[in-house]
Amino acid sequence: MIKTIQRRPVADTSELPANLHPILKNIYANRGIESAEQLEQSAQAMHNPKQLKGLEQACAVIFDAIKAKKRIIIVGDFDADGATSTALMMSGLQLLGSHNHDFLVPNRFDFGYGLTPQISQIAVEQMGAEVIVTVDNGISCLAGVEMAKALGCQVIVTDHHLPGNQLPDADAIVNPNQPGCPFPSKSIAGVGVAFYLMLALRQSMRQANWFAQQGLAEPNMAQLLDLVALGTVADVVSLDHNNRILVAQGLKRIRAGATRPGIVALIEVAGKNQRQLVASDFGFGLGPRINAAGRLDDMGLGIKCLLETDLNVARVMAKELDELNQTRREIEAGMQHEAMQVLDTLSFEQQQMPMALALYRPDWHQGVIGIVAGRLKEKFHRPTIVFAKGRDDASDSEIKGSARSIPGLHIRDLLEHIDSQHPGLITKFGGHAMAAGLSIKEADFERFQQHFYHYAEQWLESEMLNNIILSDGELEQQLLTLEFAHLLRESGPWGQNFPEPVFDNHFRLIQQRIVGDKHLKMLVELNGVSIDAIAFNVDLQQWPNHRCEWVHLAYKLDVNEFRGKQSVQLLVNYLQSV
């Protein structure tokens, strides 16, 4: 798809520190930074836990449970945020003196998402739960909370997803997005909410003199920040100031070697350098390997890897996760190919393509539909939902969809609107502005598809479908250096809604060749300075193009490490022949 490179404006940087590089000042200003305080990354600059509604009640329930040695069961989600949240709660409770807690994560293929009534029964009847704590789920699990309460269990919901019209009847709810919660960071991940709960619980215990009474050293909860950083980036939440602090603090500990064996093993198997780790390594290296467990098998493996204390055992688990991720990639590639075939059969050109896409095939893998939806959304720049069959034994032939959206269209709100206009069409849904999940009956797919297209056209403006790459401007040849690349790398963490700097220049194309089947390796030149560049997953019908002498590149300035040596290279987001 044709993209447009559009340069960001020159911003007002007068309030930013004078010692910042002028290009960096403009980059920050264009990402909403207006003062030096917003660049502060110390733990002291984090939002106060007391601002989280429901935290005091949640701490009271858990503290009473620990004192009474009650059985606490953590119920997590089957993605990387859910896995890190679960591992954090397991580790945090142990640090605080609990010896009677365990975790339960629903298998997506057998139970679906969250604290369902069936999961509540398993937690209470098979695992002996007296207190259930949800992490990264629960805000929409009304029936599951009701079942747990009916079985005599206390329930604490910790979540970050948007609530529906009704809240669950839990003993405590900790969710910054619940009505009346003044916590400023509405974008915090589930693992961040869990971390704040552990901070507040330690404070309650300190005030009650718990640690002295038990002969325990008061724990440093900063040792959990490696999990917070990983889960926050992997869940692609907006990196507002508070989230940037959490990620920066976690990265700092990991680079210094103060991290758990499971994360060390994942870094190794992903081929990353622990001392040079950056936020994007969580999103593209570690996160997908953890997610692969929940997508194809059982997330228990990912959680156990994060909790493992023996590095050699963690390496075995990380290797298994890596193999699952490779299988996931192969399944995904096949589904993408099939999805393109489905689109081809619809016989529309790019100009006539619907403003949204909804695709379904009964043989697609439920665990991979979210990734495929994301890939199609990126390729065609349209809100996309990909469906697959639910459980094989589902009597009502339910199919599950995973949705990904583009800036300007809040996908969960759109699903809620469809649900309100056509009651019963969607059996359940939930999510965020950019990603959501839903279930419908297989027989209703075409009807849903038509309504999805119809309402998307109403909600979208045509200019929203313009695939624009925002550039931070040109770089002069003297800045195409390893030194400046390191400066940019250390000026993050970069991520969702705080994007890594992208620049654009016209370069002379000196060399070009395909590597790894579909990646274009180039040598380009700017005013006599030659530099390596690579563009991933290029259109092989267009590249290599040996008639092309000049290219317009939108790129990130990257530090490439090979056999212990570092060099600067351009990571190309988009290229056009000139």
Side-chain angles (χ1 to χ4, degrees):
M1 182 178 183
I2 296 175
K3 301 180 183 181
T4 303
I5 299 172
Q6 179 178 309
R7 290 184 180 168
R8 298 177 189 268
V10 176
D12 179 9
T13 62
S14 57
E15 298 300 317
L16 295 180
N19 61 343
L20 283 178
H21 192 287
I23 289 180
L24 195 55
K25 283 203 285 189
N26 198 60
I27 288 168
Y28 281 146
N30 271 313
R31 284 151 182 78
I33 300 298
E34 298 175 342
S35 66
E37 288 74 24
Q38 290 175 284
L39 296 172
E40 177 61 53
Q41 293 184 349
S42 70
Q44 290 72 30
M46 284 170 45
H47 294 320
N48 193 320
K50 292 180 181 178
Q51 294 174 287
L52 270 168
K53 181 180 178 181
L55 206 57
E56 188 176 338
Q57 299 95 305
C59 289
V61 172
I62 298 176
F63 193 8
D64 287 345
I66 292 174
K67 287 187 286 189
K69 297 183 171 57
K70 288 183 179 179
R71 181 75 164 158
I72 303 172
I73 299 297
I74 312 302
V75 176
D77 185 19
F78 38 64
D79 65 0
D81 188 15
T84 51
S85 301
T86 303
L88 186 145
M89 288 293 294
M90 290 293 294
S91 299
L93 288 174
Q94 184 177 11
L95 290 170
L96 295 171
S98 171
H99 302 289
N100 192 17
H101 60 278
D102 204 346
F103 71 89
L104 171 62
V105 177
N107 182 302
R108 75 161 74 214
F109 308 107
D110 296 330
F111 301 105
Y113 167 80
L115 184 68
T116 60
Q118 192 176 4
I119 288 296
S120 289
Q121 286 183 301
I122 292 172
V124 175
E125 296 171 359
Q126 297 182 24
M127 302 184 71
E130 296 172 276
V131 177
I132 289 175
V133 183
T134 71
V135 289
D136 192 33
N137 76 96
I139 199 67
S140 62
C141 301
L142 278 64
V145 173
E146 184 179 358
M147 173 63 75
K149 299 282 286 182
L151 293 171
C153 192
Q154 292 178 289
V155 181
I156 296 168
V157 168
T158 79
D159 202 350
H160 68 127
H161 294 96
L162 298 173
N165 294 327
Q166 184 180 351
L167 296 179
D169 185 25
D171 294 87
I173 298 175
V174 185
N175 181 339
N177 288 300
Q178 67 177 306
C181 181
F183 190 74
S185 178
K186 304 301 182 183
S187 301
I188 192 170
V191 69
V193 176
F195 178 65
Y196 268 88
L197 176 57
M198 292 294 94
L199 286 179
L201 182 55
R202 182 186 63 175
Q203 176 66 14
S204 297
M205 291 176 157
R206 176 191 296 151
Q207 291 173 345
N209 205 30
W210 166 258
F211 300 110
Q213 291 172 4
Q214 299 299 310
L216 292 171
E218 183 174 315
N220 178 8
M221 305 312 273
Q223 61 191 287
L224 303 175
L225 282 166
D226 54 353
L227 292 168
V228 181
L230 171 55
T232 297
V233 176
D235 206 45
V236 203
V237 296
S238 178
L239 286 193
D240 61 14
H241 186 204
N242 201 64
N243 281 338
R244 292 199 304 277
I245 293 171
L246 293 172
V247 173
Q249 288 290 319
L251 274 171
K252 184 178 178 181
R253 292 185 63 85
I254 293 171
R255 290 172 178 169
T259 187
R260 61 202 62 240
I263 287 183
V264 172
L266 286 166
I267 292 169
E268 290 176 352
V269 80
K272 304 299 180 183
N273 184 332
Q274 183 173 339
R275 288 174 298 189
Q276 300 290 332
L277 205 72
V278 291
S280 61
D281 293 329
F282 292 138
F284 297 105
L286 281 66
R289 286 166 171 82
I290 298 174
N291 273 325
R295 293 187 187 283
L296 302 186
D297 193 12
D298 183 347
M299 185 47 92
L301 175 62
I303 296 167
K304 288 173 183 174
C305 180
L306 293 172
L307 290 173
E308 181 54 54
T309 57
D310 185 308
L311 179 57
N312 289 324
V313 176
R315 283 173 171 150
V316 173
M317 293 180 180
K319 186 175 186 300
E320 191 174 343
L321 290 169
D322 186 54
E323 291 167 354
L324 281 171
N325 190 52
Q326 183 58 42
T327 302
R328 185 272 304 168
R329 292 170 69 177
E330 292 166 2
I331 294 170
E332 176 202 335
M335 285 174 59
Q336 272 190 256
H337 178 70
E338 291 167 357
M340 295 304 298
Q341 290 180 322
V342 171
L343 289 174
D344 287 342
T345 64
L346 297 179
S347 302
F348 48 67
E349 299 296 328
Q350 177 66 45
Q351 289 76 13
Q352 284 77 47
M353 181 175 283
M355 295 178 81
L357 299 174
L359 303 176
Y360 165 62
R361 275 184 51 156
D363 59 342
W364 280 348
H365 195 294
Q366 185 193 136
V368 185
I369 53 177
I371 298 178
V372 175
R375 298 280 192 257
L376 293 174
K377 182 264 295 186
E378 290 295 326
K379 183 175 180 64
F380 296 107
H381 198 65
R382 273 147 172 75
T384 301
I385 307 179
V386 176
F387 287 88
K389 268 190 176 294
R391 300 205 313 269
D392 292 336
D393 61 346
S395 57
D396 58 355
S397 298
E398 188 176 73
I399 61 175
K400 296 182 182 296
S402 191
R404 298 294 183 269
S405 194
I406 61 175
L409 188 137
H410 194 299
I411 193 67
R412 185 199 172 278
D413 285 357
L414 178 59
L415 294 176
E416 186 174 46
H417 182 69
I418 294 173
D419 184 55
S420 70
Q421 299 300 306
H422 305 277
L425 176 59
I426 302 175
T427 55
K428 57 185 174 184
F429 68 93
H432 297 294
M434 301 299 286
L438 71 156
S439 298
I440 63 175
K441 291 185 178 176
E442 185 177 28
D444 288 335
F445 170 71
E446 289 187 4
R447 185 161 70 99
F448 172 83
Q449 185 184 48
Q450 291 170 0
H451 289 313
F452 180 56
Y453 289 176
H454 172 70
Y455 290 112
E457 285 187 6
Q458 288 187 351
W459 285 39
L460 283 165
E461 303 290 340
S462 58
E463 57 266 24
M464 293 180 189
L465 300 179
N466 295 331
N467 202 346
I468 294 172
I469 295 179
L470 289 174
S471 165
D472 291 289
E474 287 184 305
L475 281 185
E476 297 177 356
Q477 71 271 15
Q478 61 264 33
L479 291 177
L480 299 176
T481 64
L482 198 56
E483 180 184 14
F484 192 64
H486 273 293
L487 173 65
L488 294 174
R489 172 181 279 214
E490 296 303 318
S491 298
W494 310 103
Q496 185 72 9
N497 291 333
F498 199 77
E500 188 174 351
V502 171
F503 306 97
D504 76 281
N505 289 77
H506 288 81
F507 294 90
R508 191 162 72 88
L509 182 57
I510 300 174
Q511 296 175 11
Q512 53 180 312
R513 60 188 173 93
I514 295 296
V515 297
D517 295 331
K518 53 185 178 180
H519 312 313
L520 185 68
K521 183 76 172 174
M522 296 170 280
L523 181 66
V524 296
E525 181 188 88
L526 178 67
N527 296 335
V529 175
S530 298
I531 188 169
D532 289 322
I534 187 165
F536 292 105
N537 301 311
V538 297
D539 184 344
L540 297 178
Q541 293 182 333
Q542 294 189 40
W543 301 98
N545 179 357
H546 294 290
R547 291 172 298 177
C548 176
E549 295 184 16
W550 289 84
V551 285
H552 187 193
L553 302 184
Y555 62 91
K556 297 171 184 172
L557 200 62
D558 182 53
V559 177
N560 183 40
E561 189 163 337
F562 183 67
R563 294 178 180 172
K565 291 187 177 181
Q566 291 186 341
S567 60
V568 65
Q569 71 171 356
L570 311 183
L571 280 185
V572 178
N573 291 35
Y574 185 60
L575 71 163
Q576 295 173 329
S577 60
V578 178

